[in-house]
Amino acid sequence: MSEESDEDVEETEAETEEEVAEPEAESEADEEEPEGLQDGDFVRIDYTARTVEGDQLVDTTDPEVAEEEGVADQGTFEPRVIVLGAGHLFESVEDDIIGGEAGDSGTVTIPAEEAFGEYDEERVRTVSADKIDEDDRYPGARVQIDGEQGVLETIVGGRARVDFNHPLAGEEIEYDYEILEEVTDQLERAQGLFGMFLDMELEMHLETDEVEETHVEEPDEDDEDAEPETVTETVEKLTLYVESNPQLSMNQQWMMQKTQIAQEIIEKTGIDRIIVQDILDGSGGMMGGMGGMMGGMGGGAPGGEDVDEADIEAALEEADIDADEIAEEIE
C-alpha cells in the first residue's frame, strides 16, 4: 500500500515539474526577436499611389510615371528613404511592410478615412467674397480663408461657396510599393530623411568633432558649505555637416521647420548635432570682388600677403565697379 502511494507521489511530482517547465518554454519563445523589418528600420522604397476610382495619380517615386502624368517638373522623382513606424507612410502600408524584407512588393488599398478623410458636407461653407482675392474669384480656384485652404465652387454677388475638404477626401487610395533595400549607413539615413522632408539633394558628410561642454556639478549633500561647481570638459560629437545652397535658403519648409526637421533626423539617426554651413569659394562675381577689396583695405589678404593697387583695380574692373564713383559716394 505504501509502495503504491510513493509511486503516486513521484508521478505527481513529475507532472508538477513538467507543468512548471512548460510556461518557461513559452516565455523563452515569447522573448525571441521578431523576424523581418520592424518599426525603426530605415528602408528605401519605390511607390506609386492612385485613387481607386478615377485612377488619379496621388504620389509617385517613378520618374517614368511622373513623365507620363505630366508632373515631371514638379519635384524630384526617385526612391525614398523612410523610417517604419514614424508616420512617413500610410499605416496600412507600414503594416504590410512589417515583417518583410528587401525585394518584397505589394499592393495595399487604403480606406478614405485613413487616407485623406471622409467627405464632410459641413466643410462646404458660404463666405464673404471680400475674403477672396479678385484674381481668384473663379470656380475651381484654390483659396485660403482665415487660415483654411479650400476650393471655390461658386461665387454670386458678394457671397462665395467654398469647399474646405481635402481635394482627395472620400477617395480610396491604391498603393503599389517595392522595398528596394534596408538602409543601415548613418550618412545615407540622414541624406534620405533630408530628401524626404525637403525634396532636394544636399551635399553632406559626417565628422567626429571634439567639443567643449560646460555643466554644473552639484556639491556633496554632506558638505553644507560647498557650492555648485562649473565644469568644462571635452567630449566627442558625431556631427553632420550640411552644405547650404540657394535652394535650401529659399525653401519654405526649411525656413519654417528647420528645428523640427533637424531634431527628427538627430533622433532617428543617432547623430549628435547638425551644422548647416555656407560655402564661399570666391566665385560669386561682385561679392567675390568686394571680398578681395575688403581684404586689401584691412592691410593684407588672408595669410598676411599684401594686395597691391593693380590687383584691387583688376578686381573692381572684373566686378564692373567704378572706383571713382565709390570714392564720390563715400565723400
Side-chain angles (χ1 to χ4, degrees):
M1 189 68 181
S2 62
E3 290 179 1
E4 292 179 0
S5 299
D6 290 342
E7 288 177 2
D8 291 342
V9 170
E10 289 175 1
E11 289 177 2
T12 303
E13 289 177 349
E15 290 174 1
T16 303
E17 288 174 359
E18 289 176 3
E19 290 173 0
V20 171
E22 285 177 4
E24 290 179 359
E26 290 177 4
S27 177
E28 290 175 3
D30 291 341
E31 292 176 359
E32 290 181 5
E33 292 187 4
E35 295 182 358
L37 296 167
Q38 300 298 320
D39 284 350
D41 288 341
F42 283 67
V43 293
R44 194 185 310 275
I45 67 170
D46 251 335
Y47 61 81
T48 294
R50 297 179 181 273
T51 59
V52 172
E53 184 177 348
D55 199 36
Q56 178 183 346
L57 181 67
V58 176
D59 194 11
T60 187
T61 60
D62 190 331
E64 292 185 3
V65 172
E67 187 70 34
E68 291 171 1
E69 296 288 339
V71 296
D73 60 343
Q74 297 181 18
T76 302
F77 298 91
E78 60 185 16
R80 296 286 177 90
V81 173
I82 60 94
V83 185
L84 295 176
H88 298 159
L89 298 174
F90 291 115
E91 187 176 350
S92 296
V93 180
E94 287 195 336
D95 290 343
D96 204 59
I97 291 176
I98 294 294
E101 59 186 20
D104 288 354
S105 59
T107 299
V108 180
T109 299
I110 303 160
E113 59 268 22
E114 183 189 339
F116 299 99
E118 296 285 6
Y119 191 83
D120 184 358
E121 293 286 354
E122 293 184 0
R123 290 187 58 77
V124 182
R125 301 194 297 270
T126 299
V127 301
S128 171
D130 293 338
K131 293 187 175 184
I132 300 174
D133 191 285
E134 290 187 4
D135 293 337
D136 294 329
R137 294 181 183 181
Y138 59 89
R142 295 187 179 276
V143 296
Q144 185 163 354
I145 299 172
D146 298 333
E148 283 189 283
Q149 290 188 344
V151 175
L152 179 61
E153 290 190 339
T154 59
I155 184 166
V156 178
R159 310 296 289 172
R161 189 76 169 162
V162 180
D163 185 352
F164 291 100
N165 283 284
H166 188 283
L168 293 174
E171 296 279 2
E172 290 187 330
I173 307 297
E174 188 173 86
Y175 199 105
D176 294 320
Y177 72 86
E178 180 182 2
I179 307 170
L180 301 180
E181 62 175 338
E182 183 177 359
V183 180
T184 57
D185 181 77
Q186 270 185 312
L187 181 58
E188 287 187 27
R189 288 180 169 189
Q191 289 171 325
L193 290 181
F194 263 108
M196 181 189 67
F197 288 129
L198 304 176
D199 194 25
M200 66 174 64
E201 292 184 6
L202 296 167
E203 293 294 328
M204 60 187 73
H205 67 277
L206 287 171
E207 287 185 20
T208 300
D209 296 335
E210 289 190 346
V211 180
E212 286 190 350
E213 285 192 343
T214 302
H215 64 275
V216 177
E217 286 190 356
E218 296 296 330
D220 193 331
E221 294 180 359
D222 297 332
D223 190 348
E224 297 180 356
D225 297 328
E227 296 182 355
E229 182 180 0
T230 300
V231 178
T232 299
E233 58 182 357
T234 301
V235 297
E236 289 189 343
K237 295 280 189 180
L238 182 60
T239 306
L240 177 68
Y241 286 90
V242 181
E243 183 175 324
S244 182
N245 58 30
Q247 188 181 5
L248 178 63
S249 301
M250 298 300 292
N251 185 282
Q252 292 290 326
Q253 188 163 355
W254 176 247
M255 288 191 288
M256 299 295 293
Q257 298 181 313
K258 64 174 65 177
T259 301
Q260 297 93 317
I261 291 171
Q263 188 61 40
E264 179 156 355
I265 292 173
I266 287 170
E267 290 177 356
K268 296 291 189 297
T269 62
I271 291 169
D272 294 315
R273 60 183 190 155
I274 298 173
I275 295 178
V276 180
Q277 54 189 0
D278 290 320
I279 305 298
L280 305 177
D281 58 8
S283 60
M286 175 176 175
M287 292 294 290
M290 290 293 287
M293 186 180 73
M294 291 174 68
M297 291 170 66
E305 297 179 3
D306 292 333
V307 179
D308 60 28
E309 294 181 3
D311 291 335
I312 295 175
E313 291 177 2
L316 290 172
E317 184 176 349
E318 182 179 349
D320 195 21
I321 296 174
D322 191 316
D324 294 333
E325 289 182 3
I326 293 176
E328 290 175 5
E329 289 179 9
I330 292 174
E331 291 174 359

